[in-house]
Amino acid sequence: MAHVNRVLVVNAGSTSLKLSILSDGDVVAASSHISDWDGADVRSVAAFVADAAVAVDAVGHRVVHGGLSLRTATRLDPDVVERIRSLVPLAPLHQERALAGIAAASAALPDVPQVACFDTAYHATLPEAAATYALPLDWRKRWPLRRFGFHGLSHSYAASRAASLVDPPPGDAPLRVVTCHLGAGASLCASLDGRSVDTTMGFTPLEGLVMASRSGSVDPGLVVWLITSAGLSADEVRDGLEHDSGMAGLAGTPDMRQVIERASAGDAAARMAFDVYIHVLCREVAAMTASLGGLDALVFTGGVGENAPTVREAVVDRLSYLGPVPILVIEAREDLEIAHQTRAVLAGP
């Protein structure tokens, strides 16, 4: 196709819609952030494009889950859209919103090519040992029960940016980077020369670190006990783990800024919440380092990673035994990664 200059990036979150138009050279020609997007307002994309008053050559969408078949950025067609729709049960909030974003962009720009960029795609390189759950063979044959990993667009960008900022290892040694995407959702990724070899999220975005309102990893036996012995329904357990746990469950607020302020003022619940958050985060950074066989750079990105120096200082202090390692704070730029992937797909054969 013709040269792709301006890419409309559609990043539909669980409650928000981020729109931006990026031209060659990664220049942001226009941007908008709708914090309370309901997913039903298809006019929002059309209004943004009209207000920007620039021609758009392509649209790139962030899609959280690509499953087993969508392992790279892919040009959208009806079949791809249906495959994305089939994955709604694995990431219901985000997947439904991505589909709403696709519908809105298709209505606004029906003749413009669109590309889906998947958060799971960066982790398609996970070794089998890192991706496989020790579950019954029959289950694994019947269902896609494996670790997919998420936040791949952010991890990919951060690892690539880190590689451009630190000195390369001596000889032919691969660059070993741990990226910490810390926001409302949070995950770590171990990247070896730009390939994901381990990550903390798994089959769903619930596994791994303590998050704003998500529990992170808990004993599966605890979940079974809540349903079989405590009398909670599966829906109640799911909602509790996703919406009422994490910092919200420990400190009564999902906002790390409030947790830090209250902890510094002597609030015991906030102090415990912060300590649990740091304990799990440091434990998992060490696990990612073990998967890499060492560490050449530690990267913080995302809202908490970029804006909470207290968190960074606590982690670096706790992990000082790893020796001197470059510590980087890199702005999360999923929009740049989506634009780059979109151009690459449309420039291909």
Side-chain angles (χ1 to χ4, degrees):
M1 65 169 291
H3 174 68
V4 174
N5 180 9
R6 295 187 182 91
V7 176
L8 168 62
V9 174
V10 179
N11 186 340
S14 58
T15 60
S16 65
L17 179 65
K18 297 177 184 177
L19 302 169
S20 56
I21 297 175
L22 277 70
S23 60
D24 279 351
D26 295 335
V27 175
V28 179
S31 64
S32 174
H33 182 189
I34 304 171
S35 59
D36 56 350
W37 187 57
D38 62 5
D41 180 12
V42 298
R43 296 168 299 177
S44 51
V45 175
F48 170 74
V49 173
D51 290 344
V54 295
V56 172
D57 302 310
V59 182
H61 294 270
R62 177 198 175 203
V63 180
V64 164
H65 218 308
L68 293 176
S69 64
L70 298 167
R71 297 164 66 89
T72 61
T74 305
R75 184 165 179 169
L76 285 168
D77 59 29
D79 173 66
V80 173
V81 171
E82 285 309 306
R83 282 193 275 168
I84 292 171
R85 195 181 310 280
S86 73
L87 295 166
V88 166
L90 299 187
L93 293 178
H94 291 86
Q95 209 77 348
E96 288 279 17
R97 292 308 177 93
L99 288 164
I102 291 169
S106 299
L109 300 163
D111 299 321
V112 174
Q114 301 190 52
V115 173
C117 303
F118 300 96
D119 263 324
T120 50
Y122 185 61
H123 305 297
T125 55
L126 285 178
E128 284 302 306
T132 304
Y133 288 114
L135 295 171
L137 177 61
D138 179 56
W139 294 6
R140 290 185 283 114
K141 284 183 175 180
R142 293 169 63 188
W143 302 297
L145 303 180
R146 57 166 287 142
R147 303 185 70 249
F148 288 102
F150 299 91
H151 293 138
L153 294 166
S154 177
H155 287 302
S156 176
Y157 174 79
S160 175
R161 182 76 178 125
S164 71
L165 295 173
V166 301
D167 293 331
D172 296 325
L175 182 67
R176 303 164 299 183
V177 177
V178 172
T179 47
C180 308
H181 177 98
L182 307 179
S187 68
L188 308 181
C189 179
S191 291
L192 195 65
D193 271 349
R195 291 182 301 107
S196 173
V197 297
D198 206 351
T199 189
T200 53
M201 284 182 170
F203 182 66
T204 74
L206 189 58
E207 187 179 358
L209 303 177
V210 174
M211 301 175 231
S213 65
R214 281 174 261 176
S215 64
S217 296
V218 297
D219 181 352
L222 181 153
V223 176
V224 173
W225 182 88
L226 287 171
I227 295 172
T228 60
S229 298
L232 296 184
S233 69
D235 286 344
E236 287 173 319
V237 172
R238 182 191 62 232
D239 290 345
L241 294 175
E242 292 186 352
H243 304 299
D244 301 320
S245 296
M247 304 307 279
L250 293 170
T253 174
D255 191 329
M256 179 60 79
R257 292 167 298 185
Q258 295 181 22
V259 172
I260 292 172
E261 289 174 4
R262 285 170 42 196
S264 65
D267 184 298
R271 182 75 251 175
M272 183 182 71
F274 183 82
D275 289 346
V276 171
Y277 185 95
I278 296 299
H279 174 82
V280 175
L281 178 53
C282 290
R283 183 185 70 199
E284 295 303 315
V285 170
M288 295 297 107
T289 301
S291 293
L292 291 169
L295 187 62
D296 299 311
L298 179 64
V299 177
F300 292 91
T301 190
V304 174
E306 295 168 38
N307 301 305
T310 305
V311 169
R312 298 196 301 268
E313 291 164 5
V315 172
V316 172
D317 180 65
R318 186 81 62 87
L319 296 174
S320 60
Y321 67 88
L322 292 175
V325 173
I327 309 298
L328 306 177
V329 180
I330 294 177
E331 181 184 7
R333 291 299 304 271
E334 293 167 322
D335 58 335
L336 291 182
E337 186 67 22
I338 291 168
H340 294 168
Q341 291 188 17
T342 298
R343 291 192 181 99
V345 168
L346 297 178

